[in-house]
Structure formats: C-alpha cells, structure tokens
Amino acid sequence: MRSIFLKKIFNMSIFVTLLVTTLSALNFTTSITDRYNYIFAYGKISSGDIYKLSRIYRTLPKNRQTIVVFNSGGGELREGLKIGIYLKKHHIGSAVSKNGVCASSCALAFLGGRDLYGRKLMILPYGSKLGYHSFYYKDNRYVSVEKIQNDFSYLFKYFNYVSGPNALLSKMLDTQSRNMYWITQRNNRYLPLKKGVYFSKTNNVKNTFSKIESIKNYFNKINLTLRAESGYSNGYVALNYTDYNSWLAQNLRYIYISNIKVLKNNRIRVKTYYMLKNYKKICTYNTYKLKRVSNSWNIAAKSVKPCNTYARRVSKVYLYKLP
C-alpha cells in the first residue's frame, strides 16, 4: 500500500503548504460545563498554536472529557499534525462547530480526536464539513528531493499514529491542491464520525460564538474611538467630548484582550489589559453579564477583579470607570 501512495505522489505536482481560506489567526476560547471542557479554535493554523493549546489545556479541570471545536480553513501543515498528535496523546476529542468548516491542515488535526479511554472521538454535526486535498510548496524550484521525502514520511507516520484510514489518505492525495474533497455526515465513508447529539445539547456552539463576537466587537469599537478621539458612550464610562479631560481619556492608549472564557448563565470572563500612555498597564478580569436583544447580545452588568499590582493600586479610584 505504501508503494502505491509513493507512486501517486511522484506522478502528480508535489506541494506541501496547505491552501487556506481567508480567516484570521487561530484563536482559542474555552467553555466549561458540568461534564465537558470545550476549547473553541477558529482562524488560520499558524506556527506556535500547539503551545497556546497546551497552555490552555493545562488550566482546565481534570478527569473530564475535553473537546476541541474547530472552525478553520487550515494553515501550516506540520503545526496541524502537531495538534492532532497532541489531541491523541492527551485523549482530547475533536469536533467541527455547527455549520462550520475544518479543512486542509485542520482536517488532519481533526483525525487525532480521542475520548478519555483512547477511543476515537470525532464529532461532525449535520451542516458542518471536513475538507481534504493534496498540498503544495509555494515555490517548488528551491525544494530538494530530500525535503519532499521527509515531509511525506512525516505525513505517513502521522496517519499511522492516529490510525487514519489509508483510503482517506489516497483520496486526499488524489485531490488537486486547488480543489477540495468534502466530507459530511451524509457522504462520509472513511471516518467513525459522531453526529454531535450530546455535544449540541450541552453547548450551543452558535450562541457561544455570537457571545464571543459581541465582546470582541465591543472592545474593537472602544479602540477605534480612542484612535479617532471621537465620542463613545456605554454603561460604565462615558468616553465622549465632555469626558476627554478625565484621567481615563487622557491616559488610555488602547485595550488588549488576551483570553475570553464563556461561563454559565450568559456570562463571559475576559482577561483585559488597558495599555496606558505612560507604558504602564492595568490588568483585570472582567466578567460581563450578557442579555439577548433581538439577534445580538448586549452587556447588562459587569464586575471587575484586578490581576496585577498596578491595577490593585488604582482599583479604588479608576477600576469602576474602565469599559
């Protein structure tokens, strides 16, 4: 079987960088329920993502099933394979978000999904899809035969490690890099996919992503306002014309979010850095209570907890003013 694959490889155009749809860099957020830990991974797979994933995983509660929910068009080949190896090694399940896509290197990482007992746990809800295709080098004029052999040897070893079906590997190599072979629940012939029934009951992925996006949009608006020095008002601080002589308006350069965690009861916790013009920073854990209004989420309440020394020093005076 291996000789058949090698023959296919050298009879076609050989490339090794996976095609990527236009998504942002891979981001991770978490959600914890009574039975499961969810890590939502969305965007482009890039170098270093495996380290971000491992750091997040170490902070989650133990002795319960963890599932990584992908929504990605792909990215770097070897980084995707490293993620798949990590999933199998640590018994982490894989899933695709509802109506989402997991293609190219993301689809390869997906193959590593395992449950707590080491059995395959790969969840593909109806409406979601996996995409496989052959890969390519951006400039094959400077690629040595030895590198090509090493890359494909790494791929074969990965498929063997995650017990990936040879038929799927053959189909992937038969699909040109500019095309995509899509797998859904309806046409699946290669993988033991679960439909995600218990998954959809314990966590509404669509609502989770809409909550995350509402928080990101909230801070994006504030940052745009700070850059433009125009009026912006919310329930916690008025950054409008009359308030630009305040300490906050005079000293705040921009706001940076390092982590978003979805909690129960429509609450979201955000680790936030307020970068000041004197190059100091205020670090806080902000917990926002969200309320559904029409088709969007609005902030109904907020609590703040300082997470660095400078934040504790100014907490009594300024923390309640921070957005």
Side-chain angles (χ1 to χ4, degrees):
M1 182 64 71
R2 184 181 178 88
S3 62
I4 295 174
F5 288 145
L6 288 173
K7 185 176 180 181
K8 287 183 178 180
I9 290 166
F10 290 102
N11 282 341
M12 67 180 183
S13 299
I14 303 177
F15 305 107
V16 163
T17 301
L18 295 178
L19 291 179
V20 184
T21 57
T22 55
L23 291 172
S24 58
L26 194 63
N27 294 290
F28 295 99
T29 59
T30 59
S31 177
I32 300 172
T33 67
D34 294 336
R35 297 176 59 190
Y36 302 101
N37 302 325
Y38 295 101
I39 303 174
F40 298 93
Y42 53 97
K44 177 184 175 181
I45 296 177
S46 303
S47 179
D49 285 337
I50 183 61
Y51 299 109
K52 291 193 289 184
L53 174 62
S54 63
R55 285 199 304 269
I56 291 173
Y57 176 69
R58 289 196 295 268
T59 65
L60 298 176
K62 307 303 180 185
N63 301 322
R64 60 168 67 186
Q65 182 66 59
T66 299
I67 299 174
V68 175
V69 184
F70 292 103
N71 191 5
S72 170
E76 295 189 8
L77 170 64
R78 293 225 173 192
E79 199 69 17
L81 301 185
K82 289 177 183 178
I83 292 174
I85 292 171
Y86 190 86
L87 296 184
K88 181 181 178 182
K89 181 179 179 181
H90 294 275
H91 296 179
I92 302 172
S94 59
V96 182
S97 64
K98 183 68 175 176
N99 297 321
V101 171
C102 181
S104 293
S105 60
C106 175
L108 293 173
F110 179 86
L111 298 175
R114 295 295 187 272
D115 66 11
L116 290 176
Y117 305 99
R119 300 171 299 193
K120 290 185 178 181
L121 177 58
M122 296 176 282
I123 303 171
L124 186 69
Y126 282 107
S128 306
K129 54 185 180 180
L130 292 166
Y132 293 90
H133 63 176
S134 58
F135 26 88
Y136 74 101
Y137 289 105
K138 289 182 178 179
D139 193 343
N140 57 2
R141 293 176 299 175
Y142 304 102
V143 180
S144 65
V145 175
E146 183 180 1
K147 178 171 176 54
I148 294 172
Q149 291 174 337
N150 289 338
D151 288 333
F152 277 101
S153 175
Y154 194 87
L155 178 63
F156 288 138
K157 289 178 181 178
Y158 174 77
F159 259 78
N160 182 59
Y161 179 75
V162 298
S163 302
N166 288 336
L168 177 60
L169 177 58
S170 178
K171 185 69 176 179
M172 184 184 82
L173 297 177
D174 278 339
T175 305
Q176 295 183 5
S177 57
R178 63 176 176 269
N179 298 325
M180 191 74 72
Y181 174 69
W182 293 109
I183 293 179
T184 66
Q185 276 290 352
R186 299 186 186 279
N187 71 355
N188 173 47
R189 295 182 296 167
Y190 302 110
L191 299 172
L193 299 174
K194 295 184 180 297
K195 299 177 183 178
V197 176
Y198 74 87
F199 170 71
S200 60
K201 284 183 178 178
T202 56
N203 200 330
N204 190 319
V205 178
K206 185 176 180 181
N207 277 342
T208 298
F209 274 100
S210 64
K211 292 174 186 176
I212 294 170
E213 289 303 315
S214 67
I215 290 295
K216 291 173 69 175
N217 290 336
Y218 170 72
F219 283 104
N220 284 339
K221 287 180 180 178
I222 297 174
N223 279 329
L224 288 173
T225 303
L226 290 173
R227 292 192 195 103
E229 294 188 357
S230 59
Y232 181 81
S233 178
N234 59 64
Y236 311 108
V237 58
L239 291 180
N240 52 34
Y241 179 77
T242 58
D243 197 46
Y244 261 93
N245 291 323
S246 70
W247 175 90
L248 180 65
Q250 289 181 348
N251 292 274
L252 185 62
R253 286 192 298 155
Y254 64 91
I255 303 172
Y256 172 73
I257 303 172
S258 66
N259 189 29
I260 302 176
K261 182 172 289 188
V262 181
L263 308 175
K264 296 179 181 179
N265 302 322
N266 295 331
R267 293 180 299 123
I268 285 188
R269 188 172 67 189
V270 184
K271 187 174 184 180
T272 311
Y273 291 94
Y274 300 90
M275 314 303 293
L276 306 180
K277 292 179 181 178
N278 61 2
Y279 297 100
K280 293 183 179 180
K281 60 184 177 182
I282 296 175
C283 174
T284 62
Y285 288 107
N286 298 346
T287 302
Y288 297 94
K289 173 71 174 179
L290 301 182
K291 182 179 180 181
R292 188 85 182 200
V293 178
S294 297
N295 294 323
S296 62
W297 293 94
N298 291 344
I299 296 176
K302 184 193 74 167
S303 61
V304 180
K305 181 180 179 182
C307 61
N308 70 350
T309 303
Y310 190 71
R312 295 185 187 96
R313 191 184 307 165
V314 301
S315 60
K316 294 182 179 181
V317 181
Y318 299 120
L319 281 196
Y320 76 96
K321 290 186 176 182
L322 297 175

